[in-house]
Amino acid sequence: RNAQGQTKNYPDVIYKGGKKDIDAQDVQFAWVNIAIPKDTAAGNYTGTITVSADELDKPFELTYNIEVLNLVQPAPEATELQVWQHPFSVANYYLGLGENPSGGITNEVREDFYFTEKHFNLMRDSIKEYVSIGGHDVVANVVEEAWNHQSYYNDLSMVKWTKKADGTWEFDYDWYDAWINFMIECKVLDPANGIGQIKCYSIVPWNNQIAYYDEAQGKVVKESHNPGTAKWKEMWEPFLKDFMEHSKKMGWFDITYISMDERGLDQLEPAVEMIESVKDEDGNHFKISSALNYAAPEYYEFTDRIDDISINLGNTGNVQQMNDLSDHRRDLGLTTTMYTCTGDYPSNFMISDPGDNYWDIWYTMTLGTDGYMRWAWDNYVYDMHGDATYRYWEPGDGWFIYPIEREAVGEDFNASFYSTPRYELFKQGIRDVAKAKYLLNSESATAEEKTELTDVVEHLAKPQKGTYQGSAVAASEKDRMLVHSETERALDATNALARNVAERENPNPKPESADKTALNAAIKDAEALKKEDYTAESWKAFETALNAAKETAADKDAAQTEVD
């Protein structure tokens, strides 16, 4: 539930399958993924899914149809994807910390566990999943609580700041280095080839607070200074110089960004000036990234200084202005994304229609952005499989996926994850937008066909937002269904052009005759089987396959791919 609402159950976790007890008059949701191998021959495929149960006299059969075109699915990297990771939340959830929070959060920590091999074992599967959808953006905390403890668990600094007794600064990068090397191992980053971005938060933390260990006082000290002031510069200039030297030593400088999040211009401008003032011997400074919660500017003097910006969906009402900004920045080699968060609709909450996530990805084409940013991938709370209520945000806002049950993790701490309908529709959006972008760049598509597809994908309607018990939802049922009708238009237009391009790029005429020797031999072997050796259910499925084989064997026009 949202903090303002009532507790309700939502079917938000896709478990791994197996048998399930279902009460009478109840409903059980199921999610089925069908993988299509890359070398699958083009054609139309039909199959059945059988649903059986104890005391069910006759199993249900669900028929599905798949159309495979003679084109290869484009890489997901067609969409710039940035989804924030929270390694401390993952560790603390599995360690069982936070059972008794104070004020809706917990401050329990286990510093001896963080960024060890066991910690990484908890995340390896989910981070590799992130890579599979085109994720090459890494979040690294370089100060304590950059977001003022907005998470249930702590967001500690991966860099330890120490003020020496003589007033100089020392920085410990052990955690930071371990985190970045893990992300390189998982192929999120490939610094040698310039792949990925390391986003370091934040030079303007939400409360402008820096925590450090003061040797002279023998304790941790916290100071808050407004960006641009002398005291603020005295802290940040030594860090940026030392961090630049360290980043160059590690070979990571070219993909490292000093980042900011939803701050006003009065804080962003002095921060950008500070970053630009610290340069190497060749005159280069760190790259800069920032999330902006205000409308796309008409004048680009300031935003041109920021390499990677993301603008909140709620501030994208002027679609033409967003397109102009994105085009301008793309010409300069700069990145622009759209992001959603709490209060936005359509969005990524447990209460959201899963199709909202599909619409979000498609809408990046309407805005002309390079892609999409979202917090967060895995910002967990204590009771992920019970009451996921959190004091601030709509449940689900902080996670696309779920951890497995903490008691299921063994001594080696290897852990997988559970998907969600929200995430599955998000992935579908990434795949389908990649198709649309491929087609719009295809030399096999005519200018007229590209215009027809562009007229759809660049003009998707945005539904109106309402609220339900404090959560952002559709203003009406009509608005909720608009998400589906608009994305259906986009997909239909994409598939229509794909059929034309597939035929032009890979014409597949049927051969004059197909070799059916192996097929006929298989049919002969199959007909020798005895019905009494098998269950009624398996025999029925077998007969369906055998009849299909006989039909193909009898079809004089069958292609070799169909015979095979």
Side-chain angles (χ1 to χ4, degrees):
R1 68 182 173 89
N2 191 36
Q4 303 175 36
Q6 298 175 343
T7 301
K8 291 188 176 183
N9 290 324
Y10 284 89
D12 197 44
V13 185
I14 300 177
Y15 291 102
K16 299 296 185 181
K19 293 184 177 181
K20 174 73 176 179
D21 290 332
I22 307 172
D23 293 335
Q25 308 303 318
D26 199 1
V27 172
Q28 177 62 47
F29 294 89
W31 193 277
V32 178
N33 285 332
I34 300 174
I36 311 300
K38 187 176 181 179
D39 58 354
T40 301
N44 291 296
Y45 295 81
T46 300
T48 57
I49 297 171
T50 301
V51 183
S52 59
D54 295 340
E55 303 177 21
L56 185 64
D57 295 333
K58 183 180 179 181
F60 294 104
E61 279 197 351
L62 310 174
T63 301
Y64 64 87
N65 298 287
I66 295 176
E67 178 186 12
V68 178
L69 301 180
N70 207 352
L71 294 171
V72 175
Q73 170 67 41
E77 281 80 2
T79 296
E80 173 70 27
L81 185 66
Q82 305 174 5
V83 187
W84 295 9
Q85 314 88 38
H86 283 262
F88 296 105
S89 292
V90 175
N92 292 351
Y93 162 80
Y94 280 110
L95 291 170
L97 306 185
E99 184 176 9
N100 299 302
S102 175
I105 60 172
T106 177
N107 287 295
E108 290 184 82
V109 296
R110 271 284 305 278
E111 295 203 9
D112 62 313
F113 182 84
Y114 302 141
F115 306 109
T116 62
E117 192 63 18
K118 288 183 177 180
H119 184 182
F120 292 142
N121 286 347
L122 295 174
M123 303 188 70
R124 191 167 277 105
D125 275 5
S126 66
I127 294 300
K128 288 182 177 180
E129 172 71 15
Y130 175 54
V131 176
S132 75
I133 61 172
H136 294 290
D137 194 87
V138 173
V139 168
N141 310 344
V142 294
V143 298
E144 298 281 339
E145 300 299 348
W147 303 280
N148 197 21
H149 214 321
Q150 69 170 357
S151 302
Y152 179 79
Y153 290 113
N154 300 68
D155 283 309
L156 303 178
S157 178
M158 298 175 187
V159 178
K160 298 301 182 184
W161 296 49
T162 298
K163 190 173 185 178
K164 307 290 286 182
D166 63 4
T168 60
W169 289 92
E170 184 178 86
F171 305 97
D172 183 333
Y173 299 104
D174 285 352
W175 280 4
Y176 175 83
D177 290 353
W179 174 237
I180 300 306
N181 280 317
F182 171 65
M183 289 305 212
I184 294 172
E185 173 199 331
C186 293
K187 302 188 185 315
V188 181
L189 302 171
D190 182 0
N193 291 297
I195 295 174
Q197 308 95 36
I198 304 170
K199 301 291 181 56
C200 300
Y201 287 91
S202 166
I203 193 170
V204 281
W206 280 21
N207 56 2
N208 290 324
Q209 181 175 278
I210 301 293
Y212 62 90
Y213 181 77
D214 189 305
E215 275 191 352
Q217 300 185 57
K219 65 178 183 179
V220 173
V221 175
K222 297 179 180 180
E223 294 184 15
S224 294
H225 303 293
N226 290 329
T229 61
K231 287 287 188 181
W232 180 83
K233 291 178 181 179
E234 286 174 8
M235 301 179 77
W236 277 103
E237 186 174 6
F239 171 75
L240 290 175
K241 287 180 177 179
D242 194 82
F243 189 44
M244 179 179 290
E245 182 180 342
H246 182 77
S247 298
K248 283 180 170 290
K249 175 185 174 183
M250 301 300 293
W252 303 338
F253 176 70
D254 290 341
I255 63 169
T256 301
Y257 295 67
I258 304 300
S259 301
M260 301 164 283
D261 179 33
E262 297 180 329
R263 301 292 84 202
L265 281 175
D266 61 322
Q267 298 186 46
L268 295 181
E269 288 177 338
V272 168
E273 289 173 3
M274 168 58 73
I275 298 166
E276 291 175 336
S277 72
V278 177
K279 299 178 180 180
D280 65 10
E281 61 276 9
D282 297 319
N284 300 312
H285 58 74
F286 278 110
K287 291 184 173 69
I288 306 172
S289 71
S290 182
L292 306 177
N293 54 358
Y294 52 85
E298 294 182 82
Y299 307 102
Y300 310 132
E301 182 179 357
F302 177 65
T303 51
D304 280 356
R305 296 160 65 185
I306 304 176
D307 300 271
D308 186 315
I309 65 171
S310 192
I311 296 180
N312 180 256
L313 174 63
N315 299 110
T316 62
N318 191 326
V319 173
Q320 186 58 56
Q321 204 160 296
M322 278 295 301
N323 274 271
D324 291 343
L325 174 71
S326 298
D327 289 343
H328 168 79
R329 291 177 57 79
R330 198 155 27 244
D331 289 342
L332 297 177
L334 307 176
T335 302
T336 311
T337 60
M338 172 198 95
Y339 77 93
T340 62
C341 64
T342 180
D344 286 330
Y345 172 79
S347 204
N348 179 41
F349 317 131
M350 290 170 65
I351 198 174
S352 301
D353 188 314
D356 291 357
N357 296 271
Y358 187 52
W359 181 93
D360 281 337
I361 296 296
W362 273 113
Y363 201 62
T364 63
M365 294 197 72
T366 294
L367 297 177
T369 67
D370 300 303
Y372 177 79
M373 185 176 82
R374 189 80 172 69
W375 96 290
W377 181 248
D378 50 10
N379 194 9
Y380 300 143
V381 296
Y382 175 79
D383 191 8
M384 289 298 294
H385 295 279
D387 186 349
T389 300
Y390 184 54
R391 62 175 184 166
Y392 286 154
W393 323 125
E394 294 92 335
D397 184 32
W399 58 89
F400 264 119
I401 58 173
Y402 280 79
I404 63 172
E405 296 82 355
R406 59 172 63 91
E407 58 270 17
V409 174
E411 292 182 0
D412 56 7
F413 278 75
N414 284 325
S416 187
F417 65 94
Y418 294 122
S419 185
T420 62
R422 300 177 285 125
Y423 176 56
E424 294 299 325
L425 267 294
F426 182 68
K427 287 197 294 184
Q428 183 177 329
I430 294 168
R431 292 193 297 268
D432 290 344
V433 165
K435 296 175 189 175
K437 289 182 176 180
Y438 169 82
L439 295 169
L440 290 173
N441 288 310
S442 172
E443 294 181 358
S444 300
T446 67
E448 182 180 3
E449 288 172 331
K450 291 180 180 180
T451 298
E452 290 178 1
L453 178 56
T454 297
D455 285 344
V456 176
V457 299
E458 293 187 1
H459 297 90
L460 298 180
K462 180 182 177 182
Q464 297 296 309
K465 181 180 79 171
T467 57
Y468 175 74
Q469 296 190 352
S471 296
V473 296
S476 65
E477 182 66 10
K478 181 179 178 181
D479 287 289
R480 187 178 79 84
M481 295 310 298
L482 183 63
V483 164
H484 297 283
S485 61
E486 286 297 276
T487 52
E488 185 176 17
R489 278 200 313 125
L491 182 58
D492 286 347
T494 300
N495 287 339
L497 179 51
R499 294 184 186 99
N500 293 342
V501 169
E503 182 60 31
R504 292 170 194 152
E505 291 187 356
N506 303 292
N508 190 26
K510 290 184 178 180
E512 292 184 5
S513 61
D515 183 355
K516 300 177 181 176
T517 305
L519 178 61
N520 287 323
I523 290 173
K524 182 178 179 181
D525 290 342
E527 288 179 324
L529 299 178
K530 304 298 183 184
K531 184 174 182 179
E532 56 268 21
D533 293 336
Y534 301 90
T535 66
E537 181 182 343
S538 65
W539 186 261
K540 184 174 182 180
F542 165 75
E543 285 187 314
T544 299
L546 178 57
N547 289 336
K550 289 180 176 179
E551 289 178 9
T552 301
D555 183 0
K556 62 182 179 62
D557 295 323
Q560 189 65 56
T561 53
E562 296 174 275
V563 172
D564 292 342

